[in-house]
């Protein structure tokens, strides 16, 4: 049976870990910003109309671009 390896508590605050935390934060920020921003922009462009398939596609494309950039 394979065991699970845990690191030390000090590893959580190493330079590499801090860089990974910052990169994850920025990636999540871009992802949420793109998704919410595209939904808000669609609402403004269509005078608060219901989200139709074209709008869903636009939001999905923005999410895809945000994941690509992140």
């Amino acid at each position: 049976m394979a065991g699970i390896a845990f690191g030390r508590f000090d590893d959580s605050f190493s330079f590499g870990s801090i860089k990974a935390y910052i990169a994850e934060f920025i990636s999540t920020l871009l992802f949420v910003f793109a998704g919410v921003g595209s939904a808000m922009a669609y609402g403004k462009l269509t005078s608060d109309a219901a989200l139709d398939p074209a709008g869903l596609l636009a939001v999905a494309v923005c999410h895809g671009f945000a994941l690509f950039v992140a």
Side-chain angles (χ1 to χ4, degrees):
M1 183 169 147
I4 298 174
F6 291 104
R8 296 178 315 191
F9 184 73
D10 296 343
D11 292 339
S12 298
F13 299 104
S14 68
F15 183 68
S17 295
I18 299 295
K19 281 179 29 177
Y21 300 151
I22 292 171
E24 186 70 28
F25 175 77
I26 291 171
S27 297
T28 304
L29 181 72
L30 286 173
F31 183 68
V32 172
F33 182 77
V36 173
S38 61
M40 289 173 58
Y42 183 80
K44 292 288 185 181
L45 290 173
T46 59
S47 300
D48 294 326
L51 196 61
D52 60 356
L56 287 174
L57 181 65
V59 172
V61 167
C62 286
H63 273 99
F65 282 142
L67 283 174
F68 174 73
V69 169

